Amino acid sequence: MTATTDPGKPDYDEPGDGRQQQDPPSPAAAGDRLVHRPLPVRLLRRPELGAVVGALALFVFFACVADSFLRASSLSTVLYFSSTIGIMAVPVALLMIGGEFDLSTGVMVTSSALISSMFSYQMTANTWVGVGVSLLVTLGIGFFNGFMLTRTKLPSFIITLATFLMLTGLNLGLTKVISGTVTTKTISDMEGFDSARAVFASTLTLGSVHIQITVLWWLLLVAVATWILLRTSAGNWIFAVGGGVDAARAVGVPVARTKIGLYLGVAFAAWISGQHLLFNYDTVQSGEGVGNELIYIAAAVIGGCLLTGGYGSAIGAAVGAFIFGMANKGIIYAQWNPDWFKFFLGAMLLLATLLNAWIRKRAEATR
Amino acid sequence: MVVATASLAGCSSTGGKRAEEARQQAASGKANVTTPRWKFAMVTHSGDGDTYWDIVQSGAKQAAAKDNIEFLYSHDKEAGRQAQLVQTAIDKKVDGLIVTLAKPDAMKKVVKKAVKAGIPVITINSGQEVSQDFGALTHIGQDETLAGEAVGRELNERGKKKALCVLHEQGNVGHEQRCDGIEKTFDGKVEDLYVDGTNMPGVQSSVEAKLQSDKKVDSVVTLGAPFAATAAEAKKDSGSDAEIDTFDLNAKVAAGLKDGTIGFAVDQQPYLQGYQAVDLLWLYRYNADMLGGGKPVLTGPQILTKKDAGKLEELTKRGTR
């Protein structure tokens, strides 16, 4: 961890309920900090620990009740679904650590796919041109969210709810005006499609195991996000603005820049997800994506992020997405009555999260 | 110079808009009747951005253009708000009303009110059991149970033993009827699978998981056209050799029928539902004609296979099938 005297930076060795401390450390706390702790204790304090244990429990559970769950092909299906959620959950977790929400993420993914597809089609351009335009526009949407938030100082819930509604309308309205129908036209016969598909929607074969490339994107994002959070000053800023904006500003954290940056990160991930959607299915339904924003937030929370900000981790969010993916597909592998699917899913998530919370409490008690 | 080079390099010589323009455009007509410009309203239970209702609308608009009709379309998936939309149509004193009755109880009062106000009403797509009760002139649509039964028989003919019915909307009565219909006539076993229709990767991985866990499944029936291609993708990844069949039609399904990735499709001809409703209302106003003889006018089920694919491909691309 970078050496810092910034009081806004939460140290995972820090006592308390997991949230960072606003007050300057008291002499006693400072002394406490210097105590060297053994590795198991340090591991226990990590925000993702509860999620990891929850994930293990769920994994063992499904391995017992569903005989086809442990096959390599089944696991790659679970990993694929988890990755489509995880790609978004990771930047959403960073945003939540920074104290903000984004309700527009689900439809932003669809917007990004629609822009890319329709631009390429209408301009009869190489699909990579559409992919590039889509990146710019999607980042623009992210910037809009961040800019409006820092300018108006309204809650992000309201700002991004407005963006969510506007994007939902734009997705449908523009697709209808431009394509004439509510789905985009096929671009699979256009130049650049195959190479773009290789980047965003290909399947890698390792022996007999097929891994979707989204899993790699997911791991890459987790690695980058973890590096930013724990090894850069931007990471310190994120924890600081999430813990308390005023205190962060007082110690010189560029609050507006940090928050806009977080929204740009979310937009970038939405772009990746959107391109996957497009190049995997080749046409895009304009009404898709509504409701996914809550799943991303849920994955981040299952993974140990606090709804109030200032605490959490990227690895946790990834594990949260994995828990959601396992519960979602495990129920199918277990061949339970499909009428009860949503109930089982909800119950699984509740149990995993309760276990998570219980472990975190125990970990803090061992301090 | 740089811009020119970039745009040259950025062009695709295949597919896209240019290829579409090179193809024929869908015909659009000019009114060739002498009747006054009547105002017909269509109020459906469609959600936002539904492919199916898009095609119904284009059929209705085509008939409206031909019959010199001012065509008003509105929709709301929530029954209470759909009823309010019917009320606004009554307030506008329309000359004819086309309405869907997906949730008949909520629509009963307002449809009867329209009938009482002297507006000729035709129901389409859903509500054939109550259409006559409510005072509608006729019902144009597909009996969902009958359609399911047709699928069951087709699966028998193809020698299938275990089918998976993929429901993409929880609690949709029409969808349940389709799966029940399959169960009624199909000699093998039918299993239901609920998926989240707004999340394609979710749909794909769920179908994949099901195919991996149950190797006996030899046919997958999706209830909406966009999900057929996704199911085909899932089948490929899971290594299963199940046949993919679907309700409804779109360009990708037509292409799938052609290349054999999709076995058959059951169509209820949405274009015809829209076109026929408007045209029939015009005939009723002009000549007091009515079709059906007190029975619903059925637009489906029509089973489409590889031999229909060539023609359908063109028609689906222009958005009329």
Side-chain angles (χ1 to χ4, degrees):
Chain A
M1 213 169 275
T2 39
T4 172
T5 51
D6 179 0
K9 167 80 180 177
D11 191 322
Y12 290 121
D13 293 348
E14 197 64 20
D17 60 352
R19 296 170 66 178
Q20 59 159 121
Q21 308 290 301
Q22 294 303 318
D23 313 313
S26 63
D32 192 39
R33 252 176 123 118
L34 298 174
V35 178
H36 180 75
R37 293 194 186 81
L39 184 70
V41 176
R42 269 186 291 156
L43 277 180
L44 274 175
R45 303 274 166 75
R46 299 284 308 159
E48 57 268 11
L49 172 85
V52 170
V53 175
L56 278 177
L58 207 58
F59 186 87
V60 171
F61 174 74
F62 278 118
C64 294
V65 297
D67 34 322
S68 50
F69 185 75
L70 271 184
R71 281 188 218 132
S73 59
S74 306
L75 291 177
S76 86
T77 303
V78 170
L79 271 181
Y80 166 61
F81 181 63
S82 308
S83 70
T84 60
I85 292 169
I87 286 175
M88 290 304 292
V90 168
V92 165
L94 259 58
L95 184 67
M96 286 175 65
I97 295 170
E100 302 295 347
F101 279 107
D102 192 346
L103 296 180
S104 66
T105 48
V107 286
M108 199 196 290
V109 169
T110 313
S111 303
S112 176
L114 289 170
I115 293 160
S116 178
S117 166
M118 288 195 291
F119 187 88
S120 301
Y121 188 88
Q122 296 300 325
M123 299 294 160
T124 318
N126 188 302
T127 48
W128 279 104
V129 179
V131 170
V133 170
S134 169
L135 175 62
L136 292 179
V137 178
T138 313
L139 285 178
I141 299 168
F143 182 80
F144 173 81
N145 276 339
F147 183 76
M148 290 300 284
L149 177 87
T150 48
R151 263 304 156 92
T152 61
K153 305 225 165 28
L154 286 167
S156 56
F157 194 90
I158 297 299
I159 301 275
T160 59
L161 180 69
T163 314
F164 160 75
L165 291 170
M166 288 192 291
L167 282 182
T168 313
L170 279 175
N171 282 355
L172 178 58
L174 284 180
T175 310
K176 194 82 195 283
V177 167
I178 295 171
S179 293
T181 63
V182 292
T183 47
T184 63
K185 307 252 169 61
T186 177
I187 59 163
S188 62
D189 54 353
M190 297 181 67
E191 279 171 15
F193 184 85
D194 292 330
S195 56
R197 182 172 208 160
V199 173
F200 292 109
S202 58
T203 308
L204 311 170
T205 309
L206 304 167
S208 62
V209 189
H210 302 284
I211 298 282
Q212 298 269 353
I213 199 159
T214 47
V215 177
L216 297 188
W217 279 106
W218 180 31
L219 294 177
L220 183 74
L221 279 179
V222 173
V224 171
T226 306
W227 178 75
I228 290 176
L229 272 184
L230 300 182
R231 290 269 181 272
T232 69
S233 48
N236 294 344
W237 296 343
I238 294 171
F239 280 108
V241 295
V245 172
D246 295 331
R249 194 174 283 119
V251 295
V253 171
V255 173
R257 246 170 60 205
T258 306
K259 292 205 166 171
I260 291 175
L262 286 171
Y263 277 101
L264 287 178
V266 171
F268 179 75
W271 172 73
I272 297 175
S273 302
Q275 303 317 301
H276 170 69
L277 209 59
L278 169 61
F279 290 105
N280 204 26
Y281 302 110
D282 137 40
T283 57
V284 187
Q285 312 283 325
S286 59
E288 254 185 67
V290 178
N292 287 353
E293 61 279 352
L294 294 179
I295 294 176
Y296 306 144
I297 292 174
V301 173
I302 294 168
C305 280
L306 284 181
L307 285 165
T308 44
Y311 183 90
S313 81
I315 297 172
V319 177
F322 186 54
I323 288 180
F324 190 82
M326 263 197 298
N328 205 310
K329 301 305 155 207
I331 293 167
I332 299 172
Y333 287 117
Q335 311 235 36
W336 291 344
N337 186 340
D339 295 344
W340 293 76
F341 175 78
K342 285 276 164 74
F343 172 79
F344 289 138
L345 183 61
M348 287 284 141
L349 290 179
L350 183 64
L351 285 176
T353 317
L354 282 179
L355 183 67
N356 179 348
W358 181 74
I359 286 170
R360 198 186 304 158
K361 222 171 234 160
R362 294 299 296 257
E364 276 153 14
T366 61
R367 191 163 24 92
Chain B
M1 184 58 211
V2 175
V3 176
T5 328
S7 68
L8 271 180
C11 271
S12 171
S13 57
T14 50
K17 178 97 170 168
R18 213 178 294 153
E20 181 190 323
E21 280 167 357
R23 285 193 296 271
Q24 256 190 340
Q25 293 287 315
S28 62
K30 224 172 60 185
N32 44 14
V33 292
T34 52
T35 48
R37 191 162 175 80
W38 288 315
K39 199 191 287 178
F40 293 170
M42 181 188 276
V43 184
T44 74
H45 67 277
S46 159
D48 287 333
D50 190 310
T51 334
Y52 180 90
W53 290 102
D54 213 44
I55 303 174
V56 173
Q57 256 191 87
S58 53
K61 280 179 184 156
Q62 180 70 68
K66 189 199 70 171
D67 294 340
N68 191 29
I69 300 296
E70 185 185 349
F71 177 70
L72 311 167
Y73 180 77
S74 55
H75 66 94
D76 203 306
K77 64 180 174 195
E78 214 171 281
R81 291 203 296 257
Q82 193 197 350
Q84 288 165 22
L85 289 172
V86 173
Q87 181 58 48
T88 59
I90 298 172
D91 298 342
K92 280 184 208 150
K93 298 201 171 21
V94 293
D95 302 295
L97 177 68
I98 301 156
V99 67
T100 64
L101 304 175
K103 281 146 194 157
D105 297 332
M107 302 295 292
K108 186 175 185 170
K109 217 167 123 192
V110 76
V111 170
K112 283 193 163 169
K113 201 167 161 191
V115 172
K116 212 171 159 200
I119 300 171
V121 177
I122 288 181
T123 60
I124 62 167
N125 184 261
S126 42
Q128 82 174 53
E129 305 81 12
V130 292
S131 171
Q132 223 172 6
D133 267 7
F134 288 11
L137 298 168
T138 194
H139 176 84
I140 301 170
Q142 165 181 261
D143 185 317
E144 300 293 6
T145 313
L146 281 182
E149 288 171 8
V151 171
R153 278 191 295 272
E154 182 72 22
L155 289 173
N156 285 339
E157 224 158 89
R158 287 165 182 254
K160 299 298 175 194
K161 295 279 173 281
K162 187 165 189 185
L164 188 64
C165 200
V166 184
L167 299 110
H168 59 269
E169 246 178 69
Q170 209 172 344
N172 182 319
V173 181
H175 289 180
E176 304 283 346
Q177 284 174 342
R178 286 176 173 181
C179 291
D180 291 347
I182 299 174
E183 206 159 1
K184 219 185 255 176
T185 53
F186 184 43
D187 297 331
K189 207 170 167 306
V190 182
E191 263 190 43
D192 292 350
L193 176 71
Y194 288 98
V195 294
D196 181 5
T198 59
N199 183 351
M200 272 300 178
V203 175
Q204 182 184 334
S205 48
S206 287
V207 174
E208 217 172 293
K210 184 71 196 177
L211 289 176
Q212 284 162 345
S213 64
D214 191 346
K215 296 283 180 199
K216 286 204 195 89
V217 172
D218 56 8
S219 48
V220 178
V221 182
T222 57
L223 299 188
F227 306 102
T230 307
E233 195 83 15
K235 167 196 160 178
K236 210 168 61 193
D237 290 348
S238 69
S240 157
D241 50 8
E243 178 182 273
I244 311 293
D245 306 308
T246 185
F247 283 83
D248 298 349
L249 198 63
N250 66 10
K252 283 199 92 172
V253 169
L257 287 172
K258 197 175 179 186
D259 64 24
T261 49
I262 292 170
F264 66 89
V266 194
D267 194 26
Q268 57 169 319
Q269 308 189 82
Y271 188 84
L272 190 56
Q273 288 179 4
Y275 184 94
Q276 199 58 42
V278 170
D279 207 31
L280 207 48
L281 273 180
W282 179 84
L283 277 167
Y284 181 77
R285 290 225 78 116
Y286 174 68
N287 205 29
D289 285 328
M290 194 40 60
L291 274 177
K295 292 252 166 62
V297 179
L298 297 182
T299 60
Q302 190 187 35
I303 301 236
L304 302 165
T305 58
K306 192 167 188 159
K307 62 182 196 314
D308 310 297
K311 193 168 193 180
L312 287 173
E313 233 186 344
E314 282 305 308
L315 304 179
T316 47
K317 265 183 192 156
R318 72 173 191 202
T320 59
R321 279 304 295 259

